[in-house]
């Protein structure tokens, strides 16, 4: 059996497939019931997603497979890999799965604590997982070297073994600055049987490099799939995350079924599709004040009635658009109406954005940060606006979670104090104003941009953009400062995650090409005190960087040098950085730039990119895909997928391309010059 044919099934190279695809294909071929359940899992998560949509969900895992499994069902989450060392004493656990659960729990708790203490960003939910393989009463984790992989795989050869994934879902709450956590955990077991493996096959597989970061030393979703005779149970559990069981847990946690319906639900291994679809609307949220709780107790004739009025106070009259579940003839709860909540939310999106923009522009958040609590009339007087208009704006902001409203008046929410006040360290004010003044007018011409396939700067601002940056962003001092403030906001928000995505400790000098205000550079010198970082950017930018510099920084200062990276020679360095640069340009210009960088790089030099990385199929990451539209209306560039970046980079002699989806607004890509 030769292995070359399916190589790259998983790696982010061209022709790679997502775990969803490869997993589904395999399940379909070998286990129709599992295929059915796999599909159900996707549907099941959707309604729960609505529930999680407003929460800050963190995946405490560096495993790209876990990230992709959860991404593929549309869950929105940040990735913060756990620093917990997997060194629990195995013999102290009565069963292997208890060990996996405890490790998963410790991984998640470590991240919850770290985020709470260090970053003052207490997540709502942290998910941790740990996958182990057990055979002949041995627990196998990830091999430490090739010999170890050999020992593991030869143990598995010709036998059935178990794969356990322990999962911990940690709900967090910050009370008086103390972190409170509530842990829900579970495990899933899948049995896998290996064929007899010849020495030659075994070593060929080990030399492919695939076993090294995988529990038991194999990746069932890729080459390792060829070693497998059968799988009994959840395939994705073997890959690293038991999605189906996870969905069931979420449903259990968020939608405990009303008692009298339990016996009606047809249980296969998970509740039927209809039951999950019932959950898709916020209005079914048991914590919602508009939940129409009483209606569930209606006698059947009333439940099936189609007339009447539905109001919170009149529980025994029901109309279909109240989205109450009703029983169908099989006794399964169904939603009579497919209410278009998602579409309505999108329809409203621009109103919410504009409310945020206007409140920011009128400095409402600055005012409330300084004054604490104010009545609408006081806010109106201070911002020189009508009382009736201000009151509606404040109410809308409160309903959107940006403000808090009590009898005493309006005050900032925690996140408004951190991100919306213009003087706060992590303020997004600059980006909000840029969005209102620059992106909003451009987006009003999205239709033309789509029809013509070009940027809309001329239509929006009456200026031809022959030289994008000179003509669009640096045409006046005011626009330039606004643009720099916007870039600074995003760079500050993302810098830590980008700077820590890869270990860059071997580098001594770095040059951030187009590094603007130096926000990422300043983060890098903090993390790597021995790294000398130069920011190289246009003279117009460099002339204005001073007031963006940190006040108290106990590291060697970042150096700023002016020049045009397309035309001028840039400073020598052993690490080059391009953050949000490539997405501005066409492939042709990118080739020009990468070829210059490649020529400047000695072998072993590194190149760090930070960009929004699209999934290869360009269908999952809506924020990233909307960002690509953003590039369409204002530049000649676009956002690209991991494979597209990989191919651009490899073309210029950069190898070992690694991508980390940080869960933040920018992802990180690292490669080295061979
Ligand atoms: O068939 C496959 N089996 C297992 C995997 C991958 O193996 C690892 C398991 O390791 P662990 O649970 O310790 O997770 P890590 O990768 O170290 O990430 P954490 O940060 O979460 O500790 C996991 O990545 C599985 O996906 C596989 O790919 N195929």
């Amino acid at each position: 059996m030769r292995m070359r044919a399916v190589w790259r099934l998983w790696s982010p190279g061209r022709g790679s497939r997502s775990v969803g695809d490869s997993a589904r294909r395999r399940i379909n071929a070998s286990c129709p019931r599992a295929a059915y359940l796999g599909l159900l899992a996707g549907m099941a998560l959707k309604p729960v997603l609505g529930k999680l949509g407003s929460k800050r969900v963190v995946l405490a895992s560096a495993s790209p497979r876990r990230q992709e499994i959860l991404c593929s069902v549309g869950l929105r989450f940040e990735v913060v890999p756990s620093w917990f060392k997997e060194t629990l004493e195995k013999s102290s656990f009565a069963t292997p799965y208890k060990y996996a659960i405890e490790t998963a729990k410790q991984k998640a708790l470590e991240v919850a604590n770290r985020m709470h203490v260090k970053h003052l960003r207490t997540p709502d939910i942290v998910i941790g997982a740990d996958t182990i393989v057990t055979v002949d009463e041995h627990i196998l984790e990830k091999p430490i070297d090739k010999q170890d992989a050999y020992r593991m795989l030869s143990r598995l050869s010709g036998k059935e073994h178990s794969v356990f994934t322990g999962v911990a879902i940690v709900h967090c709450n910050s009370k008086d600055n103390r972190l409170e956590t509530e842990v829900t955990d579970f495990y899933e077991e899948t049995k896998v049987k290996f064929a007899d493996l010849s020495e030659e096959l075994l070593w060929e597989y080990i030399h492919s490099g695939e076993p090294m970061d995988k529990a038991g030393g194999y990746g069932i979703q890729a080459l390792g799939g060829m070693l497998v005779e059968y799988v009994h149970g959840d395939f994705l559990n073997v890959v690293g995350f038991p999605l189906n069981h996870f969905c069931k847990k979420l449903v259990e946690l968020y939608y405990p079924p009303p008692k009298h319906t339990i016996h009606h639900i047809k249980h296969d291994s998970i509740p039927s599709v209809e039951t999950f679809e019932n959950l898709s609307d916020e209005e079914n949220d048991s914590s919602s004040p508009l939940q129409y709780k009483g209606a569930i107790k209606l006698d059947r004739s009333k439940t099936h009635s189609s007339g009447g009025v539905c109001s919170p106070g009149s529980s025994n009259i029901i109309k279909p658009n109240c989205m109450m579940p009703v029983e169908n003839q099989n006794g399964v709860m169904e939603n009579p109406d497919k209410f278009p909540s998602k579409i309505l939310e999108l329809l409203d999106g621009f109103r919410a954005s504009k409310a945020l923009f206007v409140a920011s522009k009128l400095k409402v958040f600055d005012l409330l940060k300084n004054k604490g609590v104010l009545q609408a009339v006081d806010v109106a007087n201070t911002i020189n606006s009508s009382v009736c208009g201000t009151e509606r704006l404040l109410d809308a902001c409160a309903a959107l979670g940006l403000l808090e409203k009590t009898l005493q008046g309006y005050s900032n929410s925690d996140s408004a104090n951190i991100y919306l006040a213009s003087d706060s360290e992590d303020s997004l004010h600059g980006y909000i104003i840029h969005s209102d003044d620059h992106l909003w007018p451009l987006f009003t011409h999205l239709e033309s941009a789509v029809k013509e396939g070009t940027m809309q700067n001329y239509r929006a601002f009456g200026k031809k953009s022959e030289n994008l940056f000179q003509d669009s962003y640096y045409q006046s001092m005011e626009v330039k400062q606004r643009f720099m403030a916007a870039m600074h906001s995003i760079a500050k928000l993302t810098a830590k995650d980008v700077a820590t995505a890869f270990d860059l400790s071997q580098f001594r000098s770095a040059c951030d090409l187009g590094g603007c205000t130096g926000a990422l550079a300043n983060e890098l010198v903090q993390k790597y005190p021995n790294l000398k970082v130069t920011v190289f950017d246009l003279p117009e930018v460099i002339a204005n960087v001073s007031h963006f510099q940190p006040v108290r920084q106990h590291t060697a200062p970042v150096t700023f040098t002016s020049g045009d990276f397309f035309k001028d020679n840039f400073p020598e360095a052993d690490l080059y950085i391009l953050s949000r640069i490539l997405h501005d340009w066409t492939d042709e210009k990118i080739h020009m730039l990468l070829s210059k960088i490649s020529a400047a790089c000695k072998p072993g030099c590194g190149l760090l990119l930070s960009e929004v990385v699209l999934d290869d199929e360009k269908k999952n990451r809506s924020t990233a895909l909307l960002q690509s539209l953003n590039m369409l209306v204002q530049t000649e560039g676009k956002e690209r997928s991991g494979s597209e970046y990989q191919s651009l980079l490899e073309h210029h002699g950069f190898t070992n391309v690694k991508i980390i989806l940080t869960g933040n607004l920018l992802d990180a890509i690292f490669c080295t010059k061979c």
Side-chain angles (χ1 to χ4, degrees), residues 435-452:
S435 299
D436 195 26
D437 290 352
H438 196 79
L439 303 181
W440 183 274
L442 284 164
F443 262 83
T444 61
H445 298 289
L446 179 62
E447 185 182 337
S448 308
V450 169
K451 285 186 174 157
E452 295 158 10

Side-chain angles (χ1 to χ4, degrees), residues 60-66 81-82 86 107 129-131 142 213-215 218-221 238-240:
S61 174
S63 166
R65 278 76 54 179
R66 290 190 184 120
S82 181
E86 297 173 33
K107 286 182 187 180
D130 189 61
T131 304
K142 289 164 293 187
D213 60 345
K214 318 255 171 7
Y218 71 96
I220 196 165
Q221 69 278 18
V238 185
V239 183

